Amino acid sequence: MNLPLHEKIRSEIEADILTGVRTPGSRLPTEHDLMQQYGCSRMTVSKALSALAGGGLIERRKRAGSFVARPKAHSMMLDIPDLEQEIVQRGQRYRFELSERTIVPPGTPQAREAGLAEEGELLMIAGVHLADDVPLACELRLVSLAAVPEMAAQPFDDDSPGAWLLKHVPWTEAETRIASVAASTGVAAQLKLSVGAPCLFVERRTWRGSEGITQVRQHFVGSAYSLVARFGPAKRAPGS
Amino acid sequence: MNLPLHEKIRSEIEADILTGVRTPGSRLPTEHDLMQQYGCSRMTVSKALSALAGGGLIERRKRAGSFVARPKAHSMMLDIPDLEQEIVQRGQRYRFELSERTIVPPGTPQAREAGLAEEGELLMIAGVHLADDVPLACELRLVSLAAVPEMAAQPFDDDSPGAWLLKHVPWTEAETRIASVAASTGVAAQLKLSVGAPCLFVERRTWRGSEGITQVRQHFVGSAYSLVARFGPAKRAPGS
DNA sequence: CAGTGGTCTAGACCACTGA
DNA sequence: CAGTGGTCTAGACCACTGA
């Protein structure tokens, strides 16, 4: 139990909230009260309360004080793991099979729809992710060559384009849409499913600043893949 | 531009990272350097750098300094909106139709699987969420009456159990699994789909502290519903 | 072993806002 | 208008760890 003091204060108040000792809407002691209670300076108390406020557990209002927050339609953390890493962790062998690779000229409706640079060529890549040589997902990806010129020279005979991008191109914003769709003829053929089989459809677009980097559409075999999202209180300090 | 100084420092460094002026792996000035550069105290610099580290944009290492982080398989924020709210925002009318409501005795395999209290009755609720009287999703929910005794007295003739729980029971942890499945006979009947039609399947369990509150399994009409997750840099200060 | 970040102090002035 | 949180200062001691 060698926690910093601000961490100790934070976790004690957190525990009070989680166990119901402090109920939603109730007022916390003021920073001044907590200073005296813990015999520390106001900065230390403030750091603890700011962390709780950042985690959504409390709300701070000037003149009024700090209050236990009422639970909301929380956002949850969705892990978007690297597919290769996930397959290897399952104890399976990963392979990416490239099936198509084309340069798309600038200004096509396709590029505009993807939200990528309108003034530059795009690289279009299609392929299948295999686990022990069984198709798990297929993807169709567009990459802005204006943003990532090095991409044009990559072979992708074994490494997936997604993994390469993750390693080499810093991105700062991303949006993912998740849906359930029936396998089209093309998807069914790639994934060796029957047409109409349920697939988890994931569409992701990433940006660096305001510049679009890539858009990818993935179809996962519905019976073999799921995503997990979690919400929990602020990370516990190690050993707590 | 009336930002606090620590916020100004943070956003300037953030901008340098996003625009590529500072590249992944490169070293930032030390806290001491930044103190002099901005003419402020170390606490102020530290606050800015801590915020960047919390957002995953930089990594701080003792003795070595602070470095621009290399992009990782970031987690994304998944909005789990209240279904009623979402339907109303689409301009449609929301209704929850209760189809079943049973008390499940303690100790059944069902309860154990749901991870709910083994020593207490569970309330089982089934129903359909309708948008303009068209089924959008069906759900099967188990609620621990040990954790939420008031639940037994609720009618749920109009309000959904999920919305009621959200309003009345603070929860602190949740886990959601998302998959794509084919509609079973029962699901197809409730959603007025053909058997085998793709459905977005969402299973969520919530806890208060270590006490299980509820488990819910929802099937969404695949063609009518999708989820969106986002990742972005730390929230911008208002007006920045 | 020296430089770096982690934490903390004991103050200060201020903006905001609800009693 | 007084109490609250937001911010900031100018120091301090310490733990860690890579040059």
Side-chain angles (χ1 to χ4, degrees):
Chain A
M1 289 295 290
N2 211 355
L3 293 179
L5 183 52
H6 68 85
E7 189 62 27
K8 187 188 169 202
I9 299 172
R10 192 197 60 73
S11 66
E12 287 189 9
I13 296 173
E14 180 185 279
D16 283 351
I17 295 173
L18 297 197
T19 56
V21 174
R22 297 188 184 280
T23 54
S26 68
R27 197 186 149 165
L28 293 175
T30 65
E31 292 191 344
H32 189 80
D33 293 339
L34 289 168
M35 279 171 65
Q36 298 205 319
Q37 183 178 330
Y38 286 97
C40 68
S41 75
R42 211 183 126 213
M43 280 296 300
T44 303
V45 166
S46 173
K47 197 165 187 172
L49 294 181
S50 295
L52 288 167
L57 261 90
I58 68 170
E59 283 175 13
R60 314 192 72 189
R61 294 202 293 272
K62 286 185 188 175
R63 163 75 215 195
S66 299
F67 299 83
V68 178
R70 299 179 189 279
K72 289 180 199 158
H74 286 293
S75 295
M76 305 181 73
M77 295 304 291
L78 175 68
D79 296 320
I80 304 277
D82 179 46
L83 209 46
E84 170 167 3
Q85 198 179 313
E86 187 160 336
I87 288 172
V88 169
Q89 275 179 359
R90 287 194 207 178
Q92 297 178 302
R93 190 162 35 85
Y94 172 79
R95 192 158 60 83
F96 179 73
E97 199 174 273
L98 188 67
S99 62
E100 195 184 336
R101 179 198 188 105
T102 324
I103 301 285
V104 180
T108 62
Q110 211 172 11
R112 201 163 298 132
E113 189 202 343
L116 299 175
E118 306 224 346
E119 334 217 328
E121 293 180 325
L122 301 182
L123 181 62
M124 188 177 86
I125 298 168
V128 182
H129 301 268
L130 304 130
D132 281 347
D133 292 325
V134 176
L136 178 65
C138 60
E139 72 174 57
L140 180 63
R141 181 183 292 271
L142 292 169
V143 181
S144 164
L145 288 177
V148 200
E150 320 88 284
M151 191 89 182
Q154 291 302 313
F156 304 121
D157 41 4
D158 204 50
D159 216 7
S160 81
W164 187 91
L165 278 167
L166 194 60
K167 269 181 224 155
H168 295 84
V169 185
W171 52 270
T172 58
E173 277 176 73
E175 184 181 299
T176 298
R177 196 168 71 84
I178 301 158
S180 173
V181 302
S184 64
T185 323
V187 167
Q190 288 183 82
L191 297 180
K192 295 180 182 162
L193 294 173
S194 36
V195 173
C199 292
L200 195 64
F201 172 72
V202 172
E203 179 185 69
R204 177 157 47 252
R205 294 189 282 173
T206 62
W207 293 265
R208 181 175 56 202
S210 60
E211 183 180 34
I213 303 284
T214 185
Q215 182 213 49
V216 60
R217 291 178 170 172
Q218 300 172 315
H219 288 82
F220 293 86
V221 176
S223 57
Y225 197 78
S226 63
L227 293 167
V228 172
R230 286 194 182 77
F231 178 86
K235 305 152 211 156
R236 314 305 184 112
S240 79
Chain B
M1 289 297 290
N2 212 356
L3 293 179
L5 183 53
H6 69 84
E7 189 61 27
K8 187 189 169 199
I9 298 172
R10 192 197 59 74
S11 66
E12 287 189 10
I13 295 174
E14 179 185 279
D16 283 351
I17 295 173
L18 297 197
T19 56
V21 173
R22 297 188 184 280
T23 55
S26 67
R27 197 185 149 167
L28 293 176
T30 65
E31 293 191 343
H32 190 80
D33 293 339
L34 289 168
M35 280 171 65
Q36 297 205 317
Q37 182 178 329
Y38 286 96
C40 66
S41 75
R42 211 183 125 213
M43 279 296 300
T44 303
V45 165
S46 174
K47 197 166 187 174
L49 294 182
S50 295
L52 289 167
L57 261 87
I58 69 170
E59 283 175 14
R60 315 192 73 189
R61 295 202 292 272
K62 286 185 187 175
R63 164 74 213 194
S66 298
F67 299 83
V68 178
R70 298 180 190 278
K72 288 180 199 157
H74 286 293
S75 296
M76 306 180 74
M77 295 304 291
L78 176 68
D79 296 320
I80 304 276
D82 179 47
L83 208 47
E84 170 168 4
Q85 199 178 313
E86 186 159 338
I87 288 172
V88 168
Q89 275 178 359
R90 288 194 205 177
Q92 298 179 303
R93 191 163 34 85
Y94 172 80
R95 193 158 59 84
F96 180 75
E97 200 173 275
L98 189 69
S99 62
E100 196 183 335
R101 179 197 188 106
T102 325
I103 301 286
V104 180
T108 61
Q110 209 172 15
R112 201 164 298 132
E113 189 203 343
L116 298 175
E118 307 224 346
E119 335 218 328
E121 294 180 325
L122 301 181
L123 181 62
M124 187 177 86
I125 299 168
V128 182
H129 300 269
L130 304 131
D132 281 349
D133 291 325
V134 175
L136 177 63
C138 60
E139 73 173 57
L140 180 62
R141 181 184 292 271
L142 291 169
V143 181
S144 165
L145 287 176
V148 199
E150 320 89 284
M151 191 88 182
Q154 290 302 313
F156 304 122
D157 41 4
D158 203 52
D159 217 6
S160 81
W164 187 89
L165 279 167
L166 193 60
K167 269 181 224 156
H168 295 84
V169 185
W171 52 272
T172 59
E173 277 176 75
E175 184 180 300
T176 299
R177 196 168 71 83
I178 301 158
S180 173
V181 302
S184 66
T185 323
V187 166
Q190 287 182 81
L191 297 181
K192 297 183 181 161
L193 294 173
S194 34
V195 173
C199 293
L200 195 65
F201 172 73
V202 173
E203 180 185 69
R204 176 158 47 252
R205 293 189 283 174
T206 63
W207 293 266
R208 180 175 55 201
S210 60
E211 182 180 34
I213 303 283
T214 185
Q215 182 213 50
V216 61
R217 292 178 169 172
Q218 300 172 315
H219 287 83
F220 293 87
V221 176
S223 58
Y225 198 76
S226 63
L227 293 167
V228 172
R230 286 194 182 76
F231 177 86
K235 306 152 210 154
R236 316 303 184 110
S240 78

